[in-house]
Amino acid sequence: KYTDEELKCVEVSDKIIGVCLDRNGFKSYGKINGRQTTLGTFKTKEEAIKCRLEYERDYIGFNIAPQKHLFEQYGIVVDSHD
């Protein structure tokens, strides 16, 4: 289920999960404790993508992160213990 605010957020063209463009800039979001949470709003799409990927690494875990294939491209460092 999405809130009205989330529905107003337009997904970015390269289909990055958890990153969208709204009137304030590029927003990064994810679920924390079962609730949709804004991770930050950024001037550039790249900053928002990095934020989302760091969230995936830190909260979801590398092994099951849905976009782990993008970590290297965006410079997301993964601990060798993950």
Side-chain angles (χ1 to χ4, degrees):
K1 302 246 178 185
Y2 295 98
T3 65
D4 288 340
E5 179 183 332
E6 291 162 353
L7 291 173
K8 292 177 187 172
C9 192
V10 179
E11 293 293 329
V12 294
S13 61
D14 46 1
K15 304 295 182 198
I16 302 294
I17 298 168
V19 174
C20 63
L21 177 62
D22 70 10
R23 65 181 175 268
N24 298 315
F26 291 93
K27 184 164 65 173
S28 180
Y29 59 92
K31 287 195 176 202
I32 297 177
N33 296 324
R35 294 186 60 138
Q36 187 81 8
T37 304
T38 298
L39 305 171
T41 302
F42 304 91
K43 290 182 180 181
T44 69
K45 178 172 59 175
E46 289 73 24
E47 290 174 305
I49 292 170
K50 285 182 181 183
C51 179
R52 169 60 194 214
L53 295 176
E54 288 169 352
Y55 156 82
E56 289 186 14
R57 178 195 62 198
D58 298 341
Y59 288 92
I60 297 174
F62 174 75
N63 291 331
I64 59 172
Q67 301 176 113
K68 65 184 176 184
H69 62 283
L70 298 173
F71 283 19
E72 185 177 345
Q73 178 181 344
Y74 286 93
I76 305 301
V77 177
V78 179
D79 186 350
S80 60
H81 296 106
D82 285 345

